[in-house]
Structure formats: C-alpha cells, structure tokens
Amino acid sequence: MTNFQRAKLYILALDLKGCLYLNHFSHSQGVSQFFKVISRLGDGWFWYVMLSIVWLSHGFTYLTKIAYLIVAGSVGTLLYKLLKHKTVRPRPYQVHQVIVLGERPLDHFSFPSGHTLHAVLATTVLGYIQPILLICMLPFTLLVALSRMVLGLHYPTDVIIGAILGGTVAWGVISCAPIFNLVL
C-alpha cells in the first residue's frame, strides 16, 4: 500500500469518526429539532432576510454590490452541482446504518455540502457589503455547517470543502468588484 493510499484511508476513517461523533448529538430530540430548524433556515430564508436588511438599509445604492451575491451564488451553485454529479459520494446515512438521518436531503449526493458552501459564500459577500451583519451571520454559518453533520447528511470533509469553495468563490467575485462596477 502506498503512502497516498494510507493517507486516504486515514482521512476516510477520521471523516467517519467525526460524522459518527456529531451525529450522536441528534439522538436528543431537542438538539435534533434545533438543527432541523437551522438547516431549513439555511435553505435560503435566513439569507433572504440578511439580503433584505441590506436592501432596506441602503436601497438602490447597494444594487451593484447585491449583484455580487447573485453572481457568486450562481457560480457557487454551478460548481456545487458539477462536483455533486462528478463525485457521486453517497451520504453518510446511506452507507452507515448507525448514522441517524435527521432531515430529508435536498439531493442525492454528499460532496460537497451545498448548504455550507452557500452559507460561507453569503456570509462573506454580505459581510463585505455590510460588516455589522457578521455578528449574526458568522454564528449562523457555523451552525449550518454543524447541522449538516449532526443530521447525518454530510461528512466533515464535505463541509470543509464546501466552506473552502464558498469562501473562494465569494472572494473571487469580491476581487473582481471593480470590473463589476464598470459593467453594471
């Protein structure tokens, strides 16, 4: 066995161990219900409220900056769907019978976590536009990421890669902000 194969097996074992540990918390009805609500809010509702706050606070003066979120969200969705269909990684509850499914998944595959990708993406872009919102967005983003593992929907690596992709796409769009200002 090569070092690469050993490293891969080690990471997979850690991934499962982390998933099992976090999923164990869903055995408590209160914890499970809390993370179900977080997960549902992470479907978009929380982000729509944050976007509305920016819109109501600044109106049309922030229209160009709100376009950053639309562009970043579109790129993030495209990347997420491409990776989901290329990697076709089954969800933890589908592979390991000891993992309790706490919420119905929105799609079939696990890698990467789209909820986490979009939570980090939206937090980064909206935090860039309106930094005061980070007070509530950062904790919520962490809870969304945790919810995906507690509810048995994702492995830790799905969530970590989702977060990295979301942050990368968001900063890529923010870095291109001067170009968007000229076009829009």
Side-chain angles (χ1 to χ4, degrees), residues 37-47 50 119 123 134-147:
V37 169
I38 293 295
S39 183
R40 287 185 188 141
L41 289 172
D43 286 346
W45 293 106
F46 179 83
W47 309 113
M50 294 297 107
T123 296
L134 290 170
I135 292 169
C136 62
M137 289 189 304
L138 285 173
F140 184 76
T141 296
L142 291 172
L143 289 172
V144 167
L146 275 174
S147 78

PDB file of all heavy atoms in Angstrom, residues 37-47 50 119 123 134-147:
ATOM      1  N   VAL A  37     -34.248  23.057  12.340  1.00  0.00           N
ATOM      2  CA  VAL A  37     -34.659  24.443  12.093  1.00  0.00           C
ATOM      3  C   VAL A  37     -33.516  25.220  11.448  1.00  0.00           C
ATOM      4  O   VAL A  37     -33.722  25.946  10.464  1.00  0.00           O
ATOM      5  CB  VAL A  37     -35.134  25.118  13.406  1.00  0.00           C
ATOM      6  CG1 VAL A  37     -35.314  26.621  13.226  1.00  0.00           C
ATOM      7  CG2 VAL A  37     -36.419  24.474  13.891  1.00  0.00           C
ATOM      8  N   ILE A  38     -32.303  25.065  11.969  1.00  0.00           N
ATOM      9  CA  ILE A  38     -31.135  25.741  11.388  1.00  0.00           C
ATOM     10  C   ILE A  38     -30.974  25.335   9.930  1.00  0.00           C
ATOM     11  O   ILE A  38     -30.751  26.170   9.050  1.00  0.00           O
ATOM     12  CB  ILE A  38     -29.848  25.409  12.189  1.00  0.00           C
ATOM     13  CG1 ILE A  38     -29.908  26.004  13.596  1.00  0.00           C
ATOM     14  CG2 ILE A  38     -28.601  25.863  11.443  1.00  0.00           C
ATOM     15  CD1 ILE A  38     -29.920  27.511  13.655  1.00  0.00           C
ATOM     16  N   SER A  39     -31.076  24.033   9.666  1.00  0.00           N
ATOM     17  CA  SER A  39     -30.917  23.528   8.303  1.00  0.00           C
ATOM     18  C   SER A  39     -31.960  24.122   7.364  1.00  0.00           C
ATOM     19  O   SER A  39     -31.645  24.547   6.250  1.00  0.00           O
ATOM     20  CB  SER A  39     -31.004  22.001   8.306  1.00  0.00           C
ATOM     21  OG  SER A  39     -30.778  21.491   7.021  1.00  0.00           O
ATOM     22  N   ARG A  40     -33.202  24.172   7.817  1.00  0.00           N
ATOM     23  CA  ARG A  40     -34.269  24.738   6.978  1.00  0.00           C
ATOM     24  C   ARG A  40     -34.054  26.228   6.730  1.00  0.00           C
ATOM     25  O   ARG A  40     -34.270  26.714   5.626  1.00  0.00           O
ATOM     26  CB  ARG A  40     -35.629  24.477   7.609  1.00  0.00           C
ATOM     27  CG  ARG A  40     -36.027  23.030   7.491  1.00  0.00           C
ATOM     28  CD  ARG A  40     -37.409  22.774   7.997  1.00  0.00           C
ATOM     29  NE  ARG A  40     -37.646  21.338   8.036  1.00  0.00           N
ATOM     30  CZ  ARG A  40     -38.310  20.727   8.985  1.00  0.00           C
ATOM     31  NH1 ARG A  40     -38.827  21.421   9.985  1.00  0.00           N
ATOM     32  NH2 ARG A  40     -38.478  19.428   8.937  1.00  0.00           N
ATOM     33  N   LEU A  41     -33.636  26.949   7.771  1.00  0.00           N
ATOM     34  CA  LEU A  41     -33.343  28.376   7.583  1.00  0.00           C
ATOM     35  C   LEU A  41     -32.168  28.550   6.618  1.00  0.00           C
ATOM     36  O   LEU A  41     -32.127  29.504   5.848  1.00  0.00           O
ATOM     37  CB  LEU A  41     -33.032  29.043   8.923  1.00  0.00           C
ATOM     38  CG  LEU A  41     -34.210  29.236   9.870  1.00  0.00           C
ATOM     39  CD1 LEU A  41     -33.729  29.723  11.231  1.00  0.00           C
ATOM     40  CD2 LEU A  41     -35.229  30.198   9.277  1.00  0.00           C
ATOM     41  N   GLY A  42     -31.220  27.612   6.663  1.00  0.00           N
ATOM     42  CA  GLY A  42     -30.065  27.652   5.774  1.00  0.00           C
ATOM     43  C   GLY A  42     -30.403  27.326   4.327  1.00  0.00           C
ATOM     44  O   GLY A  42     -29.579  27.520   3.432  1.00  0.00           O
ATOM     45  N   ASP A  43     -31.623  26.830   4.089  1.00  0.00           N
ATOM     46  CA  ASP A  43     -32.067  26.590   2.707  1.00  0.00           C
ATOM     47  C   ASP A  43     -32.170  27.892   1.920  1.00  0.00           C
ATOM     48  O   ASP A  43     -32.216  27.875   0.705  1.00  0.00           O
ATOM     49  CB  ASP A  43     -33.450  25.916   2.683  1.00  0.00           C
ATOM     50  CG  ASP A  43     -33.411  24.455   3.072  1.00  0.00           C
ATOM     51  OD1 ASP A  43     -32.317  23.857   3.106  1.00  0.00           O
ATOM     52  OD2 ASP A  43     -34.488  23.900   3.348  1.00  0.00           O
ATOM     53  N   GLY A  44     -32.226  29.004   2.633  1.00  0.00           N
ATOM     54  CA  GLY A  44     -32.302  30.289   1.948  1.00  0.00           C
ATOM     55  C   GLY A  44     -32.982  31.368   2.765  1.00  0.00           C
ATOM     56  O   GLY A  44     -32.685  32.555   2.604  1.00  0.00           O
ATOM     57  N   TRP A  45     -33.880  31.012   3.637  1.00  0.00           N
ATOM     58  CA  TRP A  45     -34.684  32.006   4.350  1.00  0.00           C
ATOM     59  C   TRP A  45     -33.832  32.987   5.151  1.00  0.00           C
ATOM     60  O   TRP A  45     -34.080  34.198   5.108  1.00  0.00           O
ATOM     61  CB  TRP A  45     -35.701  31.307   5.263  1.00  0.00           C
ATOM     62  CG  TRP A  45     -36.714  30.585   4.460  1.00  0.00           C
ATOM     63  CD1 TRP A  45     -36.806  29.230   4.281  1.00  0.00           C
ATOM     64  CD2 TRP A  45     -37.740  31.159   3.653  1.00  0.00           C
ATOM     65  NE1 TRP A  45     -37.836  28.934   3.424  1.00  0.00           N
ATOM     66  CE2 TRP A  45     -38.432  30.104   3.025  1.00  0.00           C
ATOM     67  CE3 TRP A  45     -38.144  32.463   3.402  1.00  0.00           C
ATOM     68  CZ2 TRP A  45     -39.501  30.325   2.170  1.00  0.00           C
ATOM     69  CZ3 TRP A  45     -39.210  32.677   2.552  1.00  0.00           C
ATOM     70  CH2 TRP A  45     -39.881  31.610   1.950  1.00  0.00           C
ATOM     71  N   PHE A  46     -32.867  32.481   5.879  1.00  0.00           N
ATOM     72  CA  PHE A  46     -32.006  33.362   6.662  1.00  0.00           C
ATOM     73  C   PHE A  46     -31.279  34.351   5.755  1.00  0.00           C
ATOM     74  O   PHE A  46     -31.176  35.537   6.063  1.00  0.00           O
ATOM     75  CB  PHE A  46     -31.002  32.525   7.464  1.00  0.00           C
ATOM     76  CG  PHE A  46     -30.055  33.344   8.292  1.00  0.00           C
ATOM     77  CD1 PHE A  46     -30.426  33.804   9.545  1.00  0.00           C
ATOM     78  CD2 PHE A  46     -28.780  33.661   7.824  1.00  0.00           C
ATOM     79  CE1 PHE A  46     -29.555  34.566  10.313  1.00  0.00           C
ATOM     80  CE2 PHE A  46     -27.897  34.413   8.581  1.00  0.00           C
ATOM     81  CZ  PHE A  46     -28.286  34.866   9.834  1.00  0.00           C
ATOM     82  N   TRP A  47     -30.789  33.863   4.627  1.00  0.00           N
ATOM     83  CA  TRP A  47     -30.018  34.704   3.706  1.00  0.00           C
ATOM     84  C   TRP A  47     -30.908  35.737   3.030  1.00  0.00           C
ATOM     85  O   TRP A  47     -30.473  36.853   2.760  1.00  0.00           O
ATOM     86  CB  TRP A  47     -29.277  33.833   2.691  1.00  0.00           C
ATOM     87  CG  TRP A  47     -28.516  32.785   3.424  1.00  0.00           C
ATOM     88  CD1 TRP A  47     -28.733  31.433   3.417  1.00  0.00           C
ATOM     89  CD2 TRP A  47     -27.441  33.004   4.351  1.00  0.00           C
ATOM     90  NE1 TRP A  47     -27.868  30.812   4.272  1.00  0.00           N
ATOM     91  CE2 TRP A  47     -27.063  31.745   4.858  1.00  0.00           C
ATOM     92  CE3 TRP A  47     -26.777  34.134   4.800  1.00  0.00           C
ATOM     93  CZ2 TRP A  47     -26.046  31.585   5.787  1.00  0.00           C
ATOM     94  CZ3 TRP A  47     -25.762  33.985   5.732  1.00  0.00           C
ATOM     95  CH2 TRP A  47     -25.407  32.722   6.211  1.00  0.00           C
ATOM     96  N   MET A  50     -31.211  38.523   5.502  1.00  0.00           N
ATOM     97  CA  MET A  50     -29.985  39.332   5.533  1.00  0.00           C
ATOM     98  C   MET A  50     -29.909  40.237   4.301  1.00  0.00           C
ATOM     99  O   MET A  50     -29.556  41.417   4.396  1.00  0.00           O
ATOM    100  CB  MET A  50     -28.734  38.452   5.600  1.00  0.00           C
ATOM    101  CG  MET A  50     -28.566  37.646   6.875  1.00  0.00           C
ATOM    102  SD  MET A  50     -28.374  38.676   8.341  1.00  0.00           S
ATOM    103  CE  MET A  50     -29.947  38.432   9.114  1.00  0.00           C
ATOM    104  N   ALA A 119     -23.676  29.097   2.649  1.00  0.00           N
ATOM    105  CA  ALA A 119     -23.642  29.862   3.904  1.00  0.00           C
ATOM    106  C   ALA A 119     -22.355  30.681   3.990  1.00  0.00           C
ATOM    107  O   ALA A 119     -22.385  31.877   4.316  1.00  0.00           O
ATOM    108  CB  ALA A 119     -23.758  28.925   5.103  1.00  0.00           C
ATOM    109  N   THR A 123     -22.256  34.724   3.675  1.00  0.00           N
ATOM    110  CA  THR A 123     -21.678  35.451   4.813  1.00  0.00           C
ATOM    111  C   THR A 123     -20.516  36.316   4.358  1.00  0.00           C
ATOM    112  O   THR A 123     -20.380  37.471   4.777  1.00  0.00           O
ATOM    113  CB  THR A 123     -21.224  34.463   5.911  1.00  0.00           C
ATOM    114  OG1 THR A 123     -22.380  33.802   6.415  1.00  0.00           O
ATOM    115  CG2 THR A 123     -20.507  35.173   7.038  1.00  0.00           C
ATOM    116  N   LEU A 134     -22.169  40.555  10.197  1.00  0.00           N
ATOM    117  CA  LEU A 134     -21.340  39.404  10.579  1.00  0.00           C
ATOM    118  C   LEU A 134     -21.619  38.939  11.998  1.00  0.00           C
ATOM    119  O   LEU A 134     -21.408  37.764  12.322  1.00  0.00           O
ATOM    120  CB  LEU A 134     -19.858  39.728  10.397  1.00  0.00           C
ATOM    121  CG  LEU A 134     -19.387  39.858   8.953  1.00  0.00           C
ATOM    122  CD1 LEU A 134     -17.969  40.415   8.904  1.00  0.00           C
ATOM    123  CD2 LEU A 134     -19.484  38.529   8.228  1.00  0.00           C
ATOM    124  N   ILE A 135     -22.120  39.829  12.835  1.00  0.00           N
ATOM    125  CA  ILE A 135     -22.436  39.488  14.226  1.00  0.00           C
ATOM    126  C   ILE A 135     -23.418  38.319  14.285  1.00  0.00           C
ATOM    127  O   ILE A 135     -23.278  37.431  15.121  1.00  0.00           O
ATOM    128  CB  ILE A 135     -22.992  40.712  14.990  1.00  0.00           C
ATOM    129  CG1 ILE A 135     -21.894  41.758  15.152  1.00  0.00           C
ATOM    130  CG2 ILE A 135     -23.591  40.315  16.328  1.00  0.00           C
ATOM    131  CD1 ILE A 135     -22.405  43.100  15.650  1.00  0.00           C
ATOM    132  N   CYS A 136     -24.383  38.302  13.412  1.00  0.00           N
ATOM    133  CA  CYS A 136     -25.341  37.191  13.412  1.00  0.00           C
ATOM    134  C   CYS A 136     -25.046  36.155  12.321  1.00  0.00           C
ATOM    135  O   CYS A 136     -25.378  34.983  12.478  1.00  0.00           O
ATOM    136  CB  CYS A 136     -26.772  37.688  13.321  1.00  0.00           C
ATOM    137  SG  CYS A 136     -27.164  38.598  11.841  1.00  0.00           S
ATOM    138  N   MET A 137     -24.403  36.575  11.239  1.00  0.00           N
ATOM    139  CA  MET A 137     -24.160  35.631  10.146  1.00  0.00           C
ATOM    140  C   MET A 137     -23.075  34.606  10.470  1.00  0.00           C
ATOM    141  O   MET A 137     -23.211  33.440  10.093  1.00  0.00           O
ATOM    142  CB  MET A 137     -23.809  36.371   8.850  1.00  0.00           C
ATOM    143  CG  MET A 137     -24.984  37.097   8.241  1.00  0.00           C
ATOM    144  SD  MET A 137     -24.660  37.751   6.585  1.00  0.00           S
ATOM    145  CE  MET A 137     -23.235  38.773   6.852  1.00  0.00           C
ATOM    146  N   LEU A 138     -22.001  35.008  11.134  1.00  0.00           N
ATOM    147  CA  LEU A 138     -20.926  34.055  11.432  1.00  0.00           C
ATOM    148  C   LEU A 138     -21.396  32.905  12.328  1.00  0.00           C
ATOM    149  O   LEU A 138     -21.169  31.738  11.986  1.00  0.00           O
ATOM    150  CB  LEU A 138     -19.716  34.763  12.041  1.00  0.00           C
ATOM    151  CG  LEU A 138     -18.866  35.558  11.057  1.00  0.00           C
ATOM    152  CD1 LEU A 138     -17.793  36.352  11.790  1.00  0.00           C
ATOM    153  CD2 LEU A 138     -18.240  34.645  10.016  1.00  0.00           C
ATOM    154  N   PRO A 139     -22.077  33.193  13.451  1.00  0.00           N
ATOM    155  CA  PRO A 139     -22.564  32.076  14.263  1.00  0.00           C
ATOM    156  C   PRO A 139     -23.560  31.192  13.500  1.00  0.00           C
ATOM    157  O   PRO A 139     -23.532  29.963  13.619  1.00  0.00           O
ATOM    158  CB  PRO A 139     -23.242  32.742  15.463  1.00  0.00           C
ATOM    159  CG  PRO A 139     -22.693  34.113  15.510  1.00  0.00           C
ATOM    160  CD  PRO A 139     -22.325  34.479  14.103  1.00  0.00           C
ATOM    161  N   PHE A 140     -24.429  31.837  12.708  1.00  0.00           N
ATOM    162  CA  PHE A 140     -25.406  31.060  11.946  1.00  0.00           C
ATOM    163  C   PHE A 140     -24.704  30.158  10.934  1.00  0.00           C
ATOM    164  O   PHE A 140     -25.077  28.992  10.767  1.00  0.00           O
ATOM    165  CB  PHE A 140     -26.418  31.976  11.250  1.00  0.00           C
ATOM    166  CG  PHE A 140     -27.481  31.202  10.535  1.00  0.00           C
ATOM    167  CD1 PHE A 140     -28.505  30.610  11.245  1.00  0.00           C
ATOM    168  CD2 PHE A 140     -27.440  31.039   9.158  1.00  0.00           C
ATOM    169  CE1 PHE A 140     -29.484  29.859  10.601  1.00  0.00           C
ATOM    170  CE2 PHE A 140     -28.402  30.297   8.505  1.00  0.00           C
ATOM    171  CZ  PHE A 140     -29.438  29.703   9.230  1.00  0.00           C
ATOM    172  N   THR A 141     -23.692  30.660  10.272  1.00  0.00           N
ATOM    173  CA  THR A 141     -22.945  29.868   9.293  1.00  0.00           C
ATOM    174  C   THR A 141     -22.304  28.652   9.960  1.00  0.00           C
ATOM    175  O   THR A 141     -22.349  27.543   9.413  1.00  0.00           O
ATOM    176  CB  THR A 141     -21.882  30.740   8.592  1.00  0.00           C
ATOM    177  OG1 THR A 141     -22.567  31.746   7.851  1.00  0.00           O
ATOM    178  CG2 THR A 141     -21.007  29.936   7.657  1.00  0.00           C
ATOM    179  N   LEU A 142     -21.728  28.845  11.129  1.00  0.00           N
ATOM    180  CA  LEU A 142     -21.144  27.707  11.863  1.00  0.00           C
ATOM    181  C   LEU A 142     -22.217  26.690  12.231  1.00  0.00           C
ATOM    182  O   LEU A 142     -21.985  25.476  12.139  1.00  0.00           O
ATOM    183  CB  LEU A 142     -20.416  28.197  13.112  1.00  0.00           C
ATOM    184  CG  LEU A 142     -19.141  28.982  12.861  1.00  0.00           C
ATOM    185  CD1 LEU A 142     -18.608  29.583  14.167  1.00  0.00           C
ATOM    186  CD2 LEU A 142     -18.086  28.096  12.213  1.00  0.00           C
ATOM    187  N   LEU A 143     -23.379  27.161  12.639  1.00  0.00           N
ATOM    188  CA  LEU A 143     -24.473  26.250  12.976  1.00  0.00           C
ATOM    189  C   LEU A 143     -24.976  25.484  11.750  1.00  0.00           C
ATOM    190  O   LEU A 143     -25.306  24.297  11.841  1.00  0.00           O
ATOM    191  CB  LEU A 143     -25.622  27.012  13.641  1.00  0.00           C
ATOM    192  CG  LEU A 143     -25.340  27.509  15.056  1.00  0.00           C
ATOM    193  CD1 LEU A 143     -26.476  28.418  15.542  1.00  0.00           C
ATOM    194  CD2 LEU A 143     -25.116  26.349  16.012  1.00  0.00           C
ATOM    195  N   VAL A 144     -25.036  26.149  10.611  1.00  0.00           N
ATOM    196  CA  VAL A 144     -25.437  25.464   9.379  1.00  0.00           C
ATOM    197  C   VAL A 144     -24.452  24.337   9.072  1.00  0.00           C
ATOM    198  O   VAL A 144     -24.850  23.206   8.776  1.00  0.00           O
ATOM    199  CB  VAL A 144     -25.532  26.444   8.184  1.00  0.00           C
ATOM    200  CG1 VAL A 144     -25.629  25.694   6.864  1.00  0.00           C
ATOM    201  CG2 VAL A 144     -26.724  27.370   8.341  1.00  0.00           C
ATOM    202  N   ALA A 145     -23.162  24.640   9.154  1.00  0.00           N
ATOM    203  CA  ALA A 145     -22.142  23.626   8.886  1.00  0.00           C
ATOM    204  C   ALA A 145     -22.282  22.447   9.858  1.00  0.00           C
ATOM    205  O   ALA A 145     -22.253  21.280   9.437  1.00  0.00           O
ATOM    206  CB  ALA A 145     -20.746  24.243   8.984  1.00  0.00           C
ATOM    207  N   LEU A 146     -22.457  22.732  11.120  1.00  0.00           N
ATOM    208  CA  LEU A 146     -22.649  21.666  12.116  1.00  0.00           C
ATOM    209  C   LEU A 146     -23.917  20.871  11.849  1.00  0.00           C
ATOM    210  O   LEU A 146     -23.932  19.647  11.993  1.00  0.00           O
ATOM    211  CB  LEU A 146     -22.716  22.262  13.522  1.00  0.00           C
ATOM    212  CG  LEU A 146     -21.410  22.497  14.230  1.00  0.00           C
ATOM    213  CD1 LEU A 146     -21.648  23.220  15.554  1.00  0.00           C
ATOM    214  CD2 LEU A 146     -20.676  21.186  14.464  1.00  0.00           C
ATOM    215  N   SER A 147     -24.978  21.559  11.476  1.00  0.00           N
ATOM    216  CA  SER A 147     -26.266  20.880  11.245  1.00  0.00           C
ATOM    217  C   SER A 147     -26.153  19.788  10.193  1.00  0.00           C
ATOM    218  O   SER A 147     -26.781  18.741  10.305  1.00  0.00           O
ATOM    219  CB  SER A 147     -27.350  21.883  10.840  1.00  0.00           C
ATOM    220  OG  SER A 147     -27.247  22.266   9.478  1.00  0.00           O
TER     221      SER A 147
END
